[in-house]
Amino acid sequence: MSMSYAGNVRRDAPERDLADDRAFPPRLVAWTSTIILMLLFATAYLDRQIISLMVNPIRTEFGVGDFEISLLQGFAFAVLYALCGLPLGMAVDRYPRRWIVMGGVLIWSCAAMMSGLAESYNQILVARIFVGAGEAALAPAAYSILSDLFPKRRLTFALGVFMIGALLGAEGSLAIGGYILHVAADGITVPLLGRLEAWRFAFVVTALPGFVLAALAIFIHEPARERPAGSGAGWGAVLRFMASRKTFYFCQIVGFSLVMALVYARLAWNPTFLIRTYGWSVQQAGYALGAFGFVAGIAALLLGGRIVDGMFARGRLDAHFRYYVVGGTILGLFGIATYLAPSPLLFFVGSLFIIVPLNMGAIGASAVQVATPPHLRGRISALYLMSVALLGMTLGPAVVGFLTQHVFVNDASIGTALAWTYGILGPITALLFFAGLGPMRDAVARESDW
């Protein structure tokens, strides 16, 4: 059936959507696999973000500063997360994805447990590196699987549900970690491991669910994949394809990497911000941020997914970028106001605005999938995730840690450092996505030409 384009608006016949739906698995099958992937993603973020509550005890234990802590929160995780993503992306395009997922879960769970048993700063640095290596398997496989389970006009919402796992894990780590640090404040004796300080016990406890939930990967549905001519080609074909749409991929990758930098600045330093700025306890900060982030984050994920899917279904082929032209502006303006707020109440009011564009995972991933042929999605998703990891996960925590330790030289200035970070990166993000509107329309329209 023919498809016509008028400007940036696509006009599809309803019969095409119906035929499109019949090409995908039944919804029960698709959503069951999505929920399993969401739960695994939750365990990933639980292990990844629990460290944000451990800043003070790790500093005391190993005699390091904020910048060294920022390496544990960002760079240490990102280095192998990025490097392992490339071979894993190729594996995702060629081999059964459920087994790749299972292997990754087991690796990151082992490494997360070793974080709590480290005897030096270098040992915990290595453990966090291997947490990143294991988690590198999940996202490219999940993006590829979900793209085979849902039509494009429903994909962003499905990815949003998957991304709820990140909220369950990241925000849950604050509540769970805060509780563990409180009840085990004087240390606790663990069979086989002996007596552990509270922060070490928290790492061990939050690693355990991964060993159990890894078995769920067996039940993830593996849709049959088409193998068009050239699907077995190497990275050269991938790079040629990306070069043919270079402006789109540049704006997409760099733009969402900058958004991710702001996400990780928030995740890494918000607990410390509340503790240093408003005098909150670790437990207070963990409970408040966990509850707020979970409720507001789910609403933001699902709302953003619905808005972008709705625009895309109405023919706005640049829907994902349009959303972030506005979102980047919001991050710049409200980010400054939020971190210079004179009271906790105003801080949380400002956070209501910035948390909407900060929940970018589903929209960023979907932007790659709708413009990329199925047989290249695993590798291009891996390149996207590698860039996001190296730039976003590393830049956000490190910039804030560097500013507090070497520029403002004052623990109480962490709010100023966060405000500067948002005030600079937010507008740059908006400009990048504005520049990419036309290239995205062209890339999506030509997705099936390759």
Side-chain angles (χ1 to χ4, degrees), residues 415-426:
T416 305
L418 282 160
W420 272 73
T421 303
Y422 273 75
I424 293 171
L425 297 186

Side-chain angles (χ1 to χ4, degrees), residues 74-274:
F75 174 78
F77 174 87
V79 61
L80 277 192
Y81 183 87
L83 297 177
C84 290
L86 298 180
L88 286 169
M90 180 169 285
V92 163
D93 284 337
R94 296 182 177 185
Y95 303 110
R97 293 161 285 188
R98 61 165 72 106
W99 302 116
I100 296 172
V101 169
M102 180 182 288
V105 177
L106 293 174
I107 290 171
W108 86 57
S109 298
C110 289
M113 182 171 288
M114 293 308 298
S115 300
L117 305 178
E119 296 181 356
S120 68
Y121 175 79
N122 287 338
Q123 287 184 11
I124 195 172
L125 186 71
V126 171
R128 301 315 293 173
I129 286 172
F130 277 93
V131 171
E135 291 192 23
L138 179 58
Y143 295 168
S144 177
I145 290 169
L146 292 173
S147 297
D148 288 340
L149 293 176
F150 295 93
K152 289 181 180 180
R153 70 182 189 281
R154 297 198 182 109
L155 180 59
T156 307
F157 183 77
L159 283 164
V161 174
F162 167 65
M163 292 292 171
I164 288 175
L167 291 171
L168 284 169
E171 311 302 345
S173 72
L174 297 174
I176 294 169
Y179 177 75
I180 293 173
L181 291 175
H182 174 68
V183 300
D186 298 324
I188 190 168
T189 300
V190 180
L192 302 179
L193 300 178
R195 189 154 188 86
L196 298 177
E197 293 95 335
W199 70 269
R200 294 180 181 276
F201 181 62
F203 275 125
V204 171
V205 169
T206 54
L208 293 176
F211 294 105
V212 178
L213 294 177
L216 290 177
I218 297 172
F219 302 102
I220 296 172
H221 181 64
E222 279 272 357
R225 288 184 281 183
E226 294 181 3
R227 298 290 181 184
S231 64
W235 283 99
V238 174
L239 296 177
R240 286 193 298 274
F241 174 79
M242 295 183 72
S244 71
R245 294 139 171 85
K246 57 183 179 293
T247 305
F248 162 71
Y249 282 111
F250 175 82
C251 293
Q252 196 274 340
I253 288 173
V254 178
F256 284 111
S257 292
L258 293 180
V259 177
M260 184 60 81
L262 297 177
V263 171
Y264 267 79
R266 170 185 175 270
L267 290 174
W269 292 109
N270 263 9
T272 306
F273 169 77
L274 291 178

Side-chain angles (χ1 to χ4, degrees), residues 251 254-263 308 319-338 350 353-360 363 418-435 437:
C251 293
V254 178
F256 284 111
S257 292
L258 293 180
V259 177
M260 184 60 81
L262 297 177
V263 171
V308 171
H320 306 70
F321 281 16
R322 280 179 180 268
Y323 186 86
Y324 271 96
V325 172
V326 178
T329 305
I330 290 172
L331 287 171
L333 295 175
F334 284 93
I336 294 172
T338 297
F353 291 90
I354 66 173
I355 202 169
V356 175
L358 284 179
N359 281 278
M360 49 71 70
I363 298 172
L418 282 160
W420 272 73
T421 303
Y422 273 75
I424 293 171
L425 297 186
I428 294 174
T429 299
L431 290 172
L432 272 170
F433 285 116
F434 181 78
L437 290 175

